[in-house]
Amino acid sequence: MRARLSTRLLLPLLATVVVVMLAYGAWAHRQREEILVAESEREIRAYATALSLAVERGIRAPELGDVQDIIDRLGREPTVYGVLVYDTSGAVAYASEAILDPVPADPAVVSDVMAGATASLRRILDDEPVLGVLRPLTFADGRPAGAIEVAQPLAFVAAEQSRIRQRFLLNTLTLALALSVMVSWLVRRYVSRPLDDLVAAVRAFGGGDLDHRVNERTPGTELSEVAAEFNRMAARLEGARTELVRGVDERVALERKLQQTEKLAAVGTLAAGLAHEIGAPLHVIRGRADLVLTQDPAPDVRARNLRIIIDQIDRITLIVKNLLGYARRREPRPAPVDVGRLVRDVAEFVEGDAERLGASVVVSAPAEGPVVSADPDLLHQVVLNLVMNALQALDAAEGPRLLEIGVSETGAPPEASVVLDVTDSGPGIPLELRQRIFDPFFTTREAGGGTGLGLAVARGIVEDHGGAIRVATNGPEKGGARIRVLLPKGGPASAPVPDPGAGGADA
């Protein structure tokens, strides 16, 4: 983290410094070039002024000195490239010995100089860039005698600029290195180390070590204040954890007591239901057995009493069998199940019972599908239980007796569900009983009319398949009750279908 933070701080700073230094260097380079050229021009003007006087004397009085000799001596100066003397026509009359190809300057410039002006110009002489200064030459009576040009090479300007660039680059590198070292040290001292402490503390907190505290380095800085606040937060969290652990322990103890109470209540309910369901058959068995023992009835009466005793024993056996089946449900063995076909098979199976009750059975399901992954036998048991319950409810119906079984789909993949509705036109289920309709041994029928385990078993099977089941009325217009089962199209491996709430209003 330290290297990354140092780099993130250093790179923008160095980029800014380099950009500023380059801009300043370009400006300084240009300024220095202008200064060097100006100094060179002043120096050449001085040479040109002195030389023009000497050349004018040579022109006016040839015996006093040779013009060629004068310009050759000046041309040997290291800062002078060469000297040219022009006649009144603008042609080169004399050239110093260093000039191999004495190309004249622009005729217009030479003409202006002979008119009395002094001119400076940059041009190429013998393939060498030079700075030339031209001055007029006159006779004693003031008439133009020509012009003189003193040329100075510009190579020394380039050499001086190269030395300036080297010094500039060296200064820039030295500054960048110093900034890198300084920024790295400052970041490590005032930022990285405190942040490393904070990261270590956060990791310790993530591991559950609420006793860890941050070392408050560099007091008075913002990060030191952050560390101090972090330590205060850690202390508060540690205290809160202690209180939470205490509260959790108390809650666990309370939940254990509640679970024990619920277990006792469930055992009591189960025992009461079992005693109620078995008590009536046992009472009948006892009465019939007493009759057989105390009386000497006719053979047909004896046989009738024995058949009643056997029927009641079979009833007790069925109750115990259903109870064991509820308590020991086997695991589903999923396979593709066509729900529509299964519903039609169940409707055909109960067709005789429906005719005896004078009830109509209407199946509303697609010709093929929908298909779910479920245990065929267990799902058949669910549908059969719901249909038989509905038929038994129709036995108490006063008006037309109608049983409807509907199959549809809802939602979109991957949350699509298959909806199975079993609707009857019976008396319905009171609102206050809807929360208990799936409880074991709970039944709304008269004594001996059922064990109260059918819907409880059905709910267990549906939930084992990741589905949900609920009960609702059809509304005051239709009456009756509706049991709705929702199964995921993917079967038990899919996400469980959320229970919309047993006893809630039907959608």
Side-chain angles (χ1 to χ4, degrees):
M1 183 187 68
R2 182 180 305 145
R4 293 197 301 269
L5 185 58
S6 300
T7 302
R8 291 176 182 177
L9 291 176
L10 187 59
L11 288 181
L13 180 61
L14 288 181
T16 303
V17 170
V18 169
V19 170
V20 172
M21 292 294 291
L22 288 177
Y24 172 75
W27 176 82
H29 187 274
R30 189 162 189 166
Q31 291 294 108
R32 182 59 179 168
E33 182 180 6
E34 293 177 357
I35 292 173
L36 289 175
V37 171
E39 291 179 352
S40 177
E41 185 176 352
R42 284 195 296 272
E43 182 180 358
I44 296 175
R45 283 180 180 274
Y47 281 135
T49 299
L51 188 58
S52 64
L53 296 176
V55 172
E56 284 177 349
R57 285 197 300 271
I59 293 174
R60 295 170 185 173
E63 69 279 1
L64 296 178
D66 185 9
V67 174
Q68 186 65 46
D69 183 59
I70 293 172
I71 62 176
D72 284 341
R73 287 200 306 271
L74 182 61
R76 298 188 189 102
E77 292 291 330
T79 57
V80 176
Y81 184 79
V83 180
L84 296 175
V85 177
Y86 299 90
D87 58 19
T88 55
S89 65
V92 177
Y94 300 96
S96 60
E97 59 185 359
I99 299 177
L100 301 178
D101 185 16
V103 178
D106 186 359
V109 175
V110 175
S111 177
D112 291 340
V113 170
M114 285 190 293
T118 300
S120 299
L121 74 163
R122 296 186 183 188
R123 69 189 189 98
I124 303 299
L125 194 60
D126 287 345
D127 296 329
E128 183 76 19
V130 297
L131 175 64
V133 174
L134 286 83
R135 283 185 57 83
L137 297 176
T138 59
F139 290 109
D141 56 3
R143 287 180 299 110
I148 184 171
E149 178 184 1
V150 180
Q152 186 178 47
L154 292 176
F156 82 97
V157 176
E160 182 65 20
Q161 293 291 80
S162 177
R163 287 193 295 274
I164 291 174
R165 284 193 297 270
Q166 292 177 359
R167 289 197 299 271
F168 171 76
L169 291 177
L170 180 61
N171 292 338
T172 303
L173 290 176
T174 302
L175 179 60
L177 180 61
L179 283 175
S180 301
V181 174
M182 180 61 67
V183 169
S184 298
W185 181 83
L186 289 175
V187 169
R188 185 169 57 254
R189 174 71 174 83
Y190 293 103
V191 180
S192 295
R193 288 180 181 174
L195 286 181
D196 287 342
D197 292 342
L198 286 174
V199 170
V202 171
R203 288 175 178 170
F205 266 48
D209 183 12
L210 298 184
D211 297 332
H212 190 87
R213 296 294 182 268
V214 181
N215 183 17
E216 299 180 20
R217 303 174 184 266
T218 60
T221 62
E222 289 82 356
L223 287 178
S224 178
E225 294 178 3
V226 171
E229 187 61 32
F230 187 91
N231 290 336
R232 287 191 289 270
M233 179 192 68
R236 292 193 295 269
L237 286 177
E238 187 176 9
R241 182 180 66 174
T242 303
E243 292 296 327
L244 181 62
V245 169
R246 184 183 299 111
V248 168
D249 292 340
E250 294 175 354
R251 181 176 180 179
V252 168
L254 180 60
E255 287 181 352
R256 287 176 179 172
K257 293 180 180 178
L258 290 175
Q259 289 174 358
Q260 186 66 21
T261 303
E262 290 175 356
K263 288 180 180 178
L264 293 175
V267 171
T269 301
L270 183 62
L274 188 60
H276 179 270
E277 292 296 329
I278 295 179
L282 287 177
H283 180 72
V284 174
I285 292 173
R286 173 62 183 270
R288 296 297 174 174
D290 286 341
L291 289 176
V292 172
L293 288 174
T294 59
Q295 299 179 7
D296 187 13
D300 57 339
V301 175
R302 181 188 297 271
R304 179 172 176 274
N305 289 332
L306 290 177
R307 281 197 303 272
I308 292 175
I309 291 174
I310 292 173
D311 289 342
Q312 296 303 314
I313 292 174
D314 290 341
R315 175 171 172 77
I316 294 174
T317 302
L318 178 62
I319 292 172
V320 174
K321 181 179 178 181
N322 288 338
L323 180 61
L324 291 176
Y326 172 74
R328 298 177 182 176
R329 292 196 306 269
R330 66 176 175 84
E331 290 294 325
R333 292 188 286 270
V337 178
D338 187 327
V339 181
R341 180 177 179 180
L342 184 145
V343 166
R344 285 189 288 272
D345 290 343
V346 172
E348 184 178 355
F349 180 77
V350 300
E351 186 176 341
D353 294 327
E355 288 180 356
R356 283 193 297 272
L357 293 173
S360 301
V361 179
V362 178
V363 177
S364 175
E368 294 184 0
V371 176
V372 298
S373 178
D375 188 308
D377 295 334
L378 294 180
L379 193 56
H380 184 278
Q381 182 180 353
V382 170
V383 179
L384 182 59
N385 281 346
L386 297 181
V387 170
M388 293 303 297
N389 278 349
L391 288 175
Q392 290 171 0
L394 289 176
D395 193 17
E398 297 180 356
R401 297 176 178 182
L402 176 64
L403 171 62
E404 296 178 277
I405 309 174
V407 178
S408 60
E409 295 184 59
T410 182
E415 298 179 356
S417 302
V418 175
V419 181
L420 169 64
D421 286 322
V422 178
T423 307
D424 64 74
S425 59
I429 302 172
L431 180 62
E432 64 273 10
L433 298 181
R434 292 183 197 171
Q435 298 297 332
R436 302 179 56 196
I437 197 70
F438 296 104
D439 291 345
F441 292 114
F442 177 82
T443 179
T444 58
R445 303 173 200 158
E446 297 179 357
T451 62
L453 290 173
L455 288 179
V457 172
R459 181 176 68 173
I461 294 174
V462 170
E463 291 178 349
D464 287 345
H465 284 78
I469 186 171
R470 66 175 179 175
V471 59
T473 59
N474 292 321
E477 297 83 4
K478 292 185 177 181
R482 176 184 299 177
I483 304 294
R484 168 164 290 184
V485 177
L486 295 99
L487 293 171
K489 291 201 68 175
S494 301
V497 176
D499 188 351
D506 189 20

